[in-house]
Amino acid sequence: MTVTADPHRPLPVDVAHHAHLTGVFAPQREEVDVADLKIVGDLPDDLNGSYLRNGPNPRFDPIGSFVFPLDGDGMVHRISIAWGQASYSNRFVRTPMVELEEQRGEAIWSGVMDGYTPPASVVGDALAGTTRQLPDINIVEHAGKLMAMAEGDKPYLLDRAQLKTLGQEDCDGAMRVGSTAHPKIDPHTGEMVLFNYSLEAPYLTWSVVGADGSALRAPTPVPGLDKPMMIHDMALTEKYIVLFVNPLAFDLAAAMTGGSLLAWHPEDGTRIALIPRDGGAVRWIDTDTFWVWHFANAFDNPDGTVTVDYVEHLYPMGFAQTSVPNHSTLMRALCSPSTGSITRTQISERTGIEFPRVDDRLLTRDNRRIATVGRADEDHDVLESLWFHDVHTGRDDVWTPGVALGEPIYIPGEQHDYWGAIGTDPADMKSRFYVLDSDDPADGPLATIELPIRVPAGLHGAWLPALSS
C-alpha cells in the first residue's frame, strides 16, 4: 500500500498546555519489567496476587482533540506481590490502531469528539473510516479470561503471564454488540452480567456470561428508550440489573456539523431501569436530574425494594452548559419496583469524591464500608485522600498522604484483608502503591511499594489472587 498524506488530518493537540496530558496525567510511553521493588514497611506475608489497573494513555501525542477519560490508548499496569516482595510491569493494549501508529511513529486517529476518520490512502481499506478502539477504562478477569474493557465495544483479551494483547473477545457471543467498561460479576453465582448502549436501535441491551464462560443470555434489548444515551456503569442485585439513565444523550446530527457528540438535557430528568435477571418485565422509575459515573453496590431488601449506593453529581463535567458549581456526594437510593417510587439520601457529608469501591465479594449483598478517593479540603483540586465511609454508623475515616491518588481497591489476603491504591507525588512525579489495613486504613500504609516508573493518573483496576499451583 502506498501511503499518501491526508489534507484533512487534524492538527496536533497542544500537549504542553493540556490539563490531562501533563503533570500526573502525562502519558507513559515506556514499557518495563522490574522485580525486587523497594518497599517501605513490611508487606503482609498472606498477600499474594496482582493488582492490575487500566487507563487512557495515548501511545503518541494526540491529534484533533483529547477528552479525558474518553480518549487515549489502553495501558495496563501490574503490581505483583508474593512472599513479602513486589514486582512491576506494564503494557500497551495493542489494538490495530496502536500497531499501525507504532509502525508510522505518530498518531493517525484523532480523538472521539473530533469526528475525523483516516481514509484508505492512509490506513488501507480494512481500517478506512474507523475510529480509534479504546480498551482503556477497566480490567476484568472472568472464567479465566483477562480483559481490557472499553466503553461500548468488545474488550481485548490479554495474556495473564505477559499482558500480551491477544485480540478482541466476545465472550461466547454475550458481548457480540459490545460491552460497557463496567460489567458486574456476581460472587455467589459466578455470572458476569453486562449491558451495552448503542447509537442505533435497540439503544440498550443486556446479557449474561456464565461462570464457565458460556453465554447464558445473548444481547437482549431493554424496552423504554427512544434515543441513544450514555450510561457508564451499572449496579447488580440478586434479582435486578440497575441502570441509571441520566439525560446525557448522543447527538449525531450535532457532531456531524461540528457540535458535541454528547448533549446534556436536564429537562428530561433521570430514569432508572430495574431489569429482572430472570427476564421479567423492566420496571422504570422517573426522578429528578442528576448524573452518575460510578456505583458502589446494590442489594435487594426483604420488602421487595432495592438499595443502590453510588456517587451523585449535579451534572457531567464537560458536557453541561451551566455556571452552577458541581459537586459529588455519596448517596443511597431506595427504589421500589412495585410503586415506582425512589428516595435518595446522602450517606456522607463529604463532597468532591469519586471511584467508590467495596469488597467485591459482597457485591449484590449489603455491605458496611465503601471507600472513595477525594479531596482533603473543598478548595483543593487534587484527589489526595482516601475516604472510608461506614454506611451503618455514618462515620467517615480518612487517610491523606498528600499525593494524587487513584481508585482504591479491596484486597483479600489469606488471613486478613487490605485496601490498596496507586499514588503519584506531584512534587517529584514518583509513583507508589500503598497497602493499608482494612480494619484501620486511616492509620496509613502497612507497606509502600516504590514503583520504577511514573504511573499516569488513570481509571479502574482489579485484584487478582495468585493462581494456585
Side-chain angles (χ1 to χ4, degrees), residues 140-400:
V140 172
E141 186 181 53
H142 181 257
K145 296 177 180 179
L146 182 63
M147 296 172 285
M149 304 301 300
E151 181 68 25
D153 197 0
K154 288 181 286 189
Y156 267 79
L157 190 64
L158 304 179
D159 168 68
R160 179 162 173 163
Q162 302 296 327
L163 299 182
K164 180 182 178 181
T165 304
L166 302 177
Q168 281 194 294
E169 172 66 35
D170 72 356
C171 290
D172 192 36
M175 293 183 180
R176 173 176 48 82
V177 298
S179 172
T180 55
H182 288 283
K184 291 295 188 290
I185 299 173
D186 186 328
H188 311 288
T189 67
E191 295 175 350
M192 181 169 64
V193 184
L194 59 114
F195 76 99
N196 194 54
Y197 55 78
S198 174
L199 299 181
E200 299 177 349
Y203 299 112
L204 187 60
T205 59
W206 68 284
S207 53
V208 182
V209 184
D212 62 354
S214 63
L216 299 184
R217 176 178 288 272
T220 303
V222 178
L225 280 187
D226 59 2
K227 58 185 176 182
M229 306 294 290
M230 165 71 167
I231 311 169
H232 181 64
D233 196 3
M234 61 172 279
L236 187 69
T237 76
E238 292 183 74
K239 296 180 180 179
Y240 295 101
I241 300 167
V242 183
L243 298 178
F244 282 23
V245 185
N246 310 113
L248 184 61
F250 289 94
D251 191 337
L252 294 179
M256 294 295 289
T257 57
S260 176
L261 178 62
L262 289 164
W264 180 242
H265 298 284
E267 68 279 3
D268 290 347
T270 288
R271 305 181 67 209
I272 297 172
L274 299 174
I275 305 170
R277 291 174 62 178
D278 64 7
V282 177
R283 281 80 156 172
W284 284 97
I285 298 174
D286 295 319
T287 187
D288 55 317
T289 297
F290 57 91
W291 173 253
V292 178
W293 283 113
H294 299 115
F295 293 90
N297 198 10
F299 54 89
D300 302 304
N301 298 304
D303 63 358
T305 59
V306 176
T307 295
V308 188
D309 295 336
Y310 63 99
V311 171
E312 180 174 306
H313 299 251
L314 294 180
Y315 53 84
M317 291 292 290
F319 301 106
Q321 302 299 317
T322 177
S323 60
V324 176
N326 200 359
H327 66 273
S328 57
T329 53
L330 190 61
M331 300 288 289
R332 168 163 285 189
L334 187 65
C335 305
S336 174
S338 60
T339 67
S341 65
I342 179 174
T343 302
R344 306 197 327 268
T345 57
Q346 192 168 325
I347 294 177
S348 169
E349 295 299 318
R350 294 305 311 173
T351 60
I353 57 174
E354 249 301 343
F355 294 129
R357 292 297 297 255
V358 301
D359 178 352
D360 287 343
R361 298 172 300 179
L362 298 178
L363 290 176
T364 76
R365 304 285 175 89
D366 189 6
N367 64 277
R368 179 165 185 166
R369 179 166 281 182
I370 300 172
T372 63
V373 61
R375 301 178 181 90
D377 294 298
E378 294 294 327
D379 59 347
H380 288 202
D381 293 329
V382 177
L383 301 180
E384 58 189 351
S385 298
L386 292 181
W387 292 89
F388 302 92
H389 315 275
D390 190 320
V391 298
H392 291 174
T393 67
R395 175 176 171 174
D396 289 339
D397 292 319
V398 62
W399 174 62
T400 304

Side-chain angles (χ1 to χ4, degrees), residues 1-134:
M1 178 186 67
T2 302
V3 178
T4 60
D6 180 9
H8 303 291
R9 183 179 189 270
L11 295 173
V13 172
D14 184 4
V15 172
H17 298 92
H18 196 294
H20 289 112
L21 292 170
T22 54
V24 297
F25 291 92
Q28 177 60 258
R29 272 65 187 261
E30 185 179 9
E31 294 178 316
V32 302
D33 298 276
V34 182
D36 196 21
L37 301 179
K38 178 182 177 181
I39 299 169
V40 178
D42 296 310
L43 278 173
D45 291 336
D46 69 334
L47 201 55
N48 293 287
S50 298
Y51 172 58
L52 281 79
R53 202 222 67 192
N54 204 347
N57 187 80
R59 181 65 180 87
F60 296 97
D61 288 354
I63 59 174
S65 63
F66 184 86
V67 179
F68 184 91
L70 301 182
D71 285 319
D73 301 302
M75 175 176 272
V76 176
H77 306 262
R78 176 173 60 192
I79 301 158
S80 297
I81 299 172
W83 312 115
Q85 296 182 317
S87 62
Y88 168 87
S89 58
N90 66 319
R91 293 292 186 273
F92 278 100
V93 182
R94 286 189 161 79
T95 66
M97 292 75 186
V98 170
E99 289 181 332
L100 187 56
E101 289 181 338
E102 287 184 330
Q103 293 177 25
R104 305 283 177 80
E106 64 178 2
I108 300 173
W109 281 263
S110 67
V112 296
M113 303 297 286
D114 186 71
Y116 167 82
T117 59
S121 60
V122 175
V123 298
D125 292 337
L127 293 176
T130 59
T131 56
R132 183 185 298 277
Q133 293 174 336
L134 302 168

